[in-house]
Amino acid sequence: MSERAAPFYCPYCGDEDLRPSEEGHGAWECASCSRAFRLSFLGLLAPRHHGPAPVPASASVSTPVRAPGPVPGASEGDPTP
């Protein structure tokens, strides 16, 4: 592919009135906000592992579940479960 990819929006004002700049390859000018900017391809990123996240060691400790019923030491009128 020999043709360059054109940006759709100005990264500063969001307008679509962009023109290639005379400054060289990847340079663009926005007629709306009068800014010039350059776009360039940096390269490909390394592949990421997309499996399940590892479980931290502290998360593997289970918390005991209390059976339903009155809370020891609470009075009858206490709304605390």
Side-chain angles (χ1 to χ4, degrees):
M1 184 167 152
S2 61
E3 59 190 60
R4 61 181 156 188
F8 294 110
Y9 304 98
C10 172
Y12 298 100
C13 71
D15 199 77
E16 298 177 8
D17 193 6
L18 302 176
R19 296 184 176 92
S21 175
E22 295 177 0
E23 295 296 317
H25 182 71
W28 293 86
E29 297 174 352
C30 176
S32 180
C33 68
S34 300
R35 288 188 172 108
F37 57 94
R38 182 179 312 274
L39 300 177
S40 63
F41 177 71
L42 299 178
L44 297 173
L45 298 175
R48 293 184 182 180
H49 176 69
H50 292 291
V55 177
S58 62
S60 63
V61 177
S62 62
T63 306
V65 178
R66 187 173 59 84
V71 176
S75 64
E76 292 272 330
D78 189 6
T80 307

